Amino acid sequence: MMETPNPSCAARAALDPDQLAAVTTDAPRALVLAGAGSGKTRVLTERIAYLIEECHASPSEIVAVTFTRKAAAEMRERLVKRIGNKAYGVTMGTMHALALVQLRRFGELLGLRPDNITVYSEWEESFLLREVAQEVGYFRGGKWKIPKREIDAAFGAYYASGAEPDESFAVYDLFRAFMARCRENNALTYGGLLTSFMLLLPQVVQYLGWRHVLVDEVQDLDRLQWGLLESMAAGLPATLFACGDIDQSLYSWRGAAPEYLVENADTFKVLRLERNYRSGRGIVEAANRLIGHNMARLPKTMKACREGYGLVVAQGMDSKAIANDVEAAIPATGLTYGLAVLARKHVLLQKVAEELDALGVPYLYVGRQAALTNTEEFRRFHAFLKLIVNPYDNFAFLLIREALGVTDDEYAALRGRAILEDRSHFQAWLDSKQREAVAEGGIASFYRYWAEDDLVDDACRVVFFNLHPEADAGEAESPLFDFVDAYCAGRPAHERTVSAYLEWLSTYDVQDEIPAADPDGPGVVTLATIHGAKGLEWPYVILAGCNEGILPSKRAVDAGDIEEERRLAYVAITRARDCLTLAVRPERSEKPGRDGKVHVYESPVSRFVGEAMGGDA
């Protein structure tokens, strides 16, 4: 009788020796240094399968932390194909998403109303901070009492390490007042999700049931996130399987601590994945030469497993020239979602986009929707939805009170009544409207009849037409509708509710804009910043702006801080599978200045081009 093949054995047999050693390690603390294109996601997926199939771990005992929601979705999809429905029992998501789930479970231990938590975006946090600063005297006449950079530094340090500013700091009173206002509103800032989780964790660790913690992209964790991981590993207790590559660390500007890996490497069993299955030999060798100039790293040399077409350095490539190359490449290669133009900053991508528009070339610009989410119109509109979920959010009511026709005097009276009745400003307003017997169809009636489990696309339109009664229901268009409809497309009804949508939005990431590859899709070219392209790959990549002052940036050059800029270039180069063009803008240009004179600008070839090519560019 013929034996049925064992899929788990077949899957592990397909791993290379280094991947297999990582997947099957029995080390309680393992650090997998996974180079670009080395099969990191495959190793993480197979590690989870190994824990379930060979180590007899329950799926509920495993948590996998990813850097983006897109990465979590990809890993989940692979795991479902590998082990079936057991994959849905594994806890998986970004650190912020996991924190929000636990705060919704146990938030009352921190004085929160778990079912009604609001998460403030960066724009909302900035708006509320100024409101609080005005009330406590830190902002007067359009000026800050103390330098804004000191305030930002204090909040940044808190989000990166969990350390509150000392009482002796000038910003201390403002910090405490802002945090008190968030508690009053039953709200958290995006960064506050993790500091709150840090406070919560010691009280709930025994209830989590996790025995195996797997973490992706550990080079981009900050000190607070490392502290959370170490607390989980020690308190659960749990094994810690950390994957990452210090050569791809890009986020020190927001607190990432890649040096943690160097400082603590001796506390892990270190395994290396050095075979590159993604890029052609010429691209891999150029990447090795480039990153070899960095000093703050754990040494690793990638080895190419395929040939590919290599790379070229193209001089004089302004935005128009790049767009022309893109247009020529599409029919020549037949690529769909297979060509990407990457750049250090959006300003270069915007110029390329304008040229592609002129040529009629369709493209997907990663970051345009993210820009929409930080507009005042977007945030004010969503405040209406947030009050459905969290009626205690006084800040959300502040954002919409003018749209509701609440005057300054009425607002002051509402705040006074809310204090006396121990209610929120919104609840006091809604109660006053109910007492006035507001006619059906008004926004007050909307809040009486709509709930957090109603469909968000319908709720958005009801809010819109209450605010714009003159609009034609059949013709009204809004970027807000496009954004919400894009979220709802293809999702089941239980994921299209107001509460589900707002929870998704609270941890929104720029890569959420990128659809799955679709041969019949509307775009054939991707435009993205290097940060937005992290973890992705394309057959053909054009890296725009390979000039001094652009990549590396002038700020980094002036500060003598080149290594992260070099890592940026390394990440960009390793996004390419077959073809890579290092596009150098004209090194000399003339532009009219404000003084009416023509000024000459010098922009030499980036030093990174010479380093990657092994000599002078």
Side-chain angles (χ1 to χ4, degrees):
M1 183 175 178
M2 182 178 296
E3 294 185 3
T4 302
N6 186 330
S8 63
C9 292
R12 280 193 284 280
L15 299 173
D16 70 37
D18 294 336
Q19 292 172 337
L20 183 62
V23 165
T24 60
T25 182
D26 59 359
R29 292 170 60 88
L31 172 59
V32 181
L33 295 178
S38 63
K40 173 168 58 69
T41 303
R42 183 182 187 185
V43 165
L44 283 163
T45 303
E46 196 57 40
R47 173 67 176 179
I48 295 172
Y50 175 79
L51 290 172
I52 293 171
E53 295 171 340
E54 304 298 329
C55 301
H56 308 295
S58 167
S60 64
E61 294 178 328
I62 301 171
V63 58
V65 183
T66 61
F67 192 68
T68 65
R69 181 160 39 205
K70 187 176 180 66
E74 179 185 350
M75 192 183 302
R76 177 84 71 188
E77 182 180 352
R78 291 194 188 193
L79 194 59
V80 169
K81 292 178 180 178
R82 177 63 177 80
I83 63 173
N85 288 337
K86 288 182 180 179
Y88 295 108
V90 176
T91 300
M92 193 175 293
T94 66
M95 187 79 80
H96 289 82
L98 294 175
L100 182 56
V101 168
Q102 298 310 318
L103 288 165
R104 291 198 188 282
R105 260 183 95 185
F106 302 110
E108 70 275 3
L109 296 175
L110 299 181
L112 294 167
R113 298 178 177 91
D115 294 334
N116 305 108
I117 296 173
T118 295
V119 180
Y120 291 149
S121 69
E122 183 178 343
W123 181 89
E124 290 166 320
E125 179 181 357
S126 178
F127 192 107
L128 180 59
L129 178 62
R130 182 169 294 193
E131 289 290 322
V132 174
Q134 286 179 323
E135 293 181 11
V136 297
Y138 278 77
F139 189 80
R140 285 284 186 270
K143 294 183 179 180
W144 291 92
K145 179 180 176 181
I146 57 178
K148 185 61 163 55
R149 64 179 178 275
E150 293 184 16
I151 298 173
D152 293 339
F155 277 80
Y158 174 67
Y159 293 143
S161 67
E164 296 188 4
D166 189 85
E167 290 185 34
S168 62
F169 287 15
V171 73
Y172 177 78
D173 289 339
L174 174 60
F175 176 86
R176 297 295 295 175
F178 177 81
M179 292 302 170
R181 182 63 59 82
C182 288
R183 286 193 298 273
E184 175 187 322
N185 296 347
N186 199 46
L188 299 166
T189 63
Y190 182 74
L193 284 171
L194 297 189
T195 53
S196 297
F197 187 35
M198 178 190 67
L199 296 173
L200 179 67
L201 188 59
Q203 303 179 62
V204 303
V205 67
Q206 69 268 31
Y207 304 119
L208 298 179
W210 298 330
R211 296 292 175 262
H212 304 280
V213 178
L214 297 87
V215 193
D216 193 10
E217 306 284 13
V218 291
Q219 75 279 355
D220 288 320
L221 301 181
D222 58 34
R223 295 279 177 176
L224 176 62
Q225 291 168 324
W226 271 114
L228 283 167
L229 288 176
E230 298 288 11
S231 295
M232 283 192 281
L236 288 166
T239 65
L240 180 57
F241 187 86
C243 285
D245 180 8
I246 195 171
D247 294 336
Q248 298 184 67
S249 179
L250 308 182
Y251 292 97
S252 64
W253 51 273
R254 69 180 190 193
E259 64 275 9
Y260 188 95
L261 295 177
V262 178
E263 296 168 0
N264 295 278
D266 60 349
T267 68
F268 292 89
K269 179 178 181 179
V270 178
L271 303 108
R272 287 176 168 80
L273 305 181
E274 297 182 308
R275 292 176 174 86
N276 185 301
Y277 295 97
R278 174 190 300 157
S279 305
R281 185 173 305 280
I283 296 170
V284 171
E285 291 174 352
N288 283 337
R289 287 191 292 265
L290 172 68
I291 204 62
H293 288 77
N294 272 10
M295 301 300 293
R297 59 190 299 256
L298 296 171
K300 162 177 94 305
T301 302
M302 299 302 297
K303 304 173 184 64
C305 296
R306 51 191 296 269
E307 291 303 321
Y309 303 117
L311 72 160
V312 298
V313 177
Q315 302 278 357
M317 295 291 285
D318 59 12
S319 301
K320 186 175 182 63
I322 289 175
N324 288 336
D325 268 21
V326 169
E327 183 186 38
I330 294 170
T333 60
L335 297 174
T336 300
Y337 286 117
L339 190 156
V341 179
L342 307 182
R344 176 70 172 79
K345 293 185 177 181
H346 279 290
V347 63
L348 290 181
L349 297 176
Q350 289 163 356
K351 292 178 180 178
V352 173
E354 291 171 3
E355 297 293 344
L356 291 175
D357 285 335
L359 294 171
V361 175
Y363 57 87
L364 171 70
Y365 188 160
V366 179
R368 278 189 172 169
Q369 288 185 359
L372 172 67
T373 66
N374 284 314
T375 62
E376 185 169 337
E377 178 190 12
F378 185 95
R379 288 300 170 189
R380 286 186 186 276
F381 186 85
H382 280 73
F384 283 93
L385 300 181
K386 289 184 176 183
L387 286 168
I388 297 176
V389 175
N390 180 9
Y392 309 101
D393 190 346
N394 289 334
F395 174 61
F397 183 75
L398 171 67
L399 288 179
I400 69 171
R401 61 109 171 171
E402 291 182 359
L404 296 175
V406 178
T407 66
D408 291 346
D409 290 342
E410 289 171 333
Y411 184 49
L414 281 173
R415 295 178 70 176
R417 188 184 311 145
I419 293 172
L420 291 174
E421 298 176 356
D422 192 23
R423 311 186 77 184
S424 71
H425 304 163
F426 167 71
Q427 289 170 323
W429 171 81
L430 190 60
D431 185 57
S432 71
K433 290 299 177 184
Q434 289 173 339
R435 290 173 185 169
E436 296 168 12
V438 174
E440 293 297 321
I443 197 70
S445 294
F446 166 78
Y447 284 116
R448 287 208 295 273
Y449 296 114
W450 285 75
E452 61 184 56
D453 56 356
D454 286 322
L455 297 181
V456 67
D457 45 349
D458 292 339
C460 279
R461 284 165 171 80
V462 173
V463 170
F464 182 86
F465 291 116
N466 267 291
L467 296 176
H468 304 282
E470 76 286 354
D472 187 311
E475 299 178 4
E477 295 181 1
S478 169
L480 297 167
F481 294 167
D482 295 338
F483 185 90
V484 173
D485 290 345
Y487 165 81
C488 292
R491 280 185 164 86
H494 72 275
E495 292 182 10
R496 292 165 47 207
T497 65
V498 173
S499 59
Y501 166 73
L502 290 178
E503 183 163 337
W504 171 85
L505 185 63
S506 68
T507 54
Y508 181 79
D509 182 81
V510 67
Q511 289 195 1
D512 289 328
E513 299 179 26
I514 303 173
D518 178 3
D520 301 317
V524 295
V525 177
T526 300
L527 307 184
T529 64
I530 302 171
H531 287 94
K534 195 166 185 292
L536 306 176
E537 60 183 76
W538 294 268
Y540 180 22
V541 168
I542 298 174
L543 177 55
C546 293
N547 299 72
E548 289 290 309
I550 301 176
L551 184 65
S553 70
K554 184 178 184 302
R555 180 207 57 77
V557 172
D558 292 343
D561 183 17
I562 298 298
E563 294 215 350
E564 181 152 333
E565 294 290 298
R566 187 174 285 114
R567 293 196 292 266
L568 263 174
Y570 176 81
V571 166
I573 287 173
T574 54
R575 298 312 92 199
R577 293 205 294 264
D578 301 315
C579 305
L580 171 68
T581 295
L582 301 179
V584 181
R585 294 183 63 79
E587 297 180 52
R588 180 185 174 90
S589 61
E590 297 181 356
K591 297 179 182 179
R594 293 181 178 178
D595 56 6
K597 297 179 181 179
V598 175
H599 294 262
V600 176
Y601 296 89
E602 302 286 346
S603 185
V605 178
S606 170
R607 69 194 71 186
F608 299 153
V609 174
E611 293 172 0
M613 302 305 290
D616 294 333

